[in-house]
Amino acid sequence: NAGVTQTPKFQVLKTGQSMTLQCAQDMNHNSMYWYRQDPGMGLRLIYYSASEGTTDKGEVPNGYNVSRLNKREFSLRLESAAPSQTSVYFCASSEAGTGATEAFFGQGTRLTVV
Amino acid sequence: AQSVTQLGSHVSVSEGALVLLRCNYSSSVPPYLFWYVQYPNQGLQLLLKYTSAATLVKGINGFEAEFKKSETSFHLTKPSAHMSDAAEYFCAVSGHTGGFKTIFGAGTRLFVKA
């Protein structure tokens, strides 16, 4: 059981380049999330998808776009990378958007923008 | 709006000593509360959760947390620290507002001395 799979695990971008972070879950979860983790700031929600076909902004959506491709997959796109987007990105999923169910996390993508 | 405050970005204990990691939350609705653990270069995994049943919640690896509404606290404890407990710990809150988004604290890194 793979759980939540993120690709790539590491990436270095030049300022202005674009890229897409991929995320897939095999737990049949309805809700999926993208967080970024920065030292001393915990995890901050970028975007989430409560169910297939819907997406909503989180705390820090600027500079990002998302696509809920199907129930399994939720991608995060950086259109024009900036050094401020250097971070570790985590995808997560949960059974339903009830708040009572825990999130399952991928291993993370370490992104450096130079 | 919901928020979480974790007191102390770093906590150091000796092996065999009590572990106490502090978390206070703010929520205008009955919250769901979680503790997650993150080992180096890994994603987060659930330690325990409070969902309005028993106020004393037991989790994995000997950890437990007590929900105290009057103090708006959800502190994490373990009677006897083990070297393998060294990790970063995150308190999180979600609720019935805001699409059940989960909000994370800044994290507390636990060091265990031999």
Side-chain angles (χ1 to χ4, degrees):
Chain A
N1 189 352
V4 179
T5 303
Q6 291 181 235
T7 55
K9 288 186 169 49
F10 301 93
Q11 184 70 49
V12 179
L13 288 179
K14 293 182 179 179
T15 298
Q17 287 185 317
S18 62
M19 79 162 295
T20 299
L21 281 64
Q22 307 286 354
C23 175
Q25 52 93 7
D26 62 3
M27 295 172 283
N28 201 36
H29 286 167
N30 287 310
S31 300
M32 298 186 72
Y33 314 84
W34 276 105
Y35 290 90
R36 59 177 289 173
Q37 182 179 24
D38 301 291
M41 303 190 75
L43 274 75
R44 292 181 293 168
L45 184 65
I46 305 171
Y47 271 94
Y48 69 105
S49 172
S51 61
E52 186 178 357
T54 69
T55 61
D56 284 288
K57 295 178 180 179
E59 304 169 69
V60 289
N62 292 343
Y64 306 95
N65 285 300
V66 291
S67 295
R68 183 74 183 266
L69 305 169
N70 48 55
K71 192 172 185 179
R72 290 187 64 248
E73 298 173 287
F74 189 39
S75 63
L76 178 72
R77 182 161 178 83
L78 286 70
E79 292 291 351
S80 179
S84 61
Q85 294 178 304
T86 293
S87 186
V88 181
Y89 292 84
F90 286 100
C91 178
S93 69
S94 63
E95 192 171 285
T98 65
T101 55
E102 66 267 29
F104 293 80
F105 285 81
Q107 297 277 35
T109 296
R110 189 173 296 274
L111 175 67
T112 302
V113 183
V114 297
Chain B
Q2 295 175 311
S3 65
V4 172
T5 302
Q6 291 185 240
L7 301 177
S9 58
H10 297 84
V11 170
S12 182
V13 300
S14 297
E15 193 173 21
L18 171 72
V19 175
L20 171 60
L21 304 182
R22 300 177 187 272
C23 172
N24 288 89
Y25 69 91
S26 172
S27 178
S28 58
V29 296
Y32 301 114
L33 294 160
F34 306 82
W35 275 100
Y36 288 84
V37 60
Q38 183 182 33
Y39 299 102
N41 299 315
Q42 294 188 26
L44 281 69
Q45 54 185 282
L46 182 72
L47 268 182
L48 51 80
K49 66 178 179 181
Y50 167 76
T51 57
S52 78
T55 57
L56 182 62
V57 182
K58 294 187 184 299
I60 61 171
N61 301 337
F63 284 94
E64 61 182 38
E66 186 172 8
F67 172 69
K68 292 188 176 180
K69 185 178 179 180
S70 61
E71 298 177 7
T72 61
S73 69
F74 190 58
H75 301 331
L76 182 70
T77 60
K78 181 175 181 178
S80 177
H82 191 272
M83 297 296 288
S84 61
D85 294 327
E88 188 153 23
Y89 293 80
F90 292 92
C91 183
V93 62
S94 69
H96 299 276
T97 60
F100 304 111
K101 297 189 292 282
T102 301
I103 305 299
F104 286 83
T108 298
R109 184 166 296 278
L110 176 66
F111 297 93
V112 182
K113 299 174 293 186

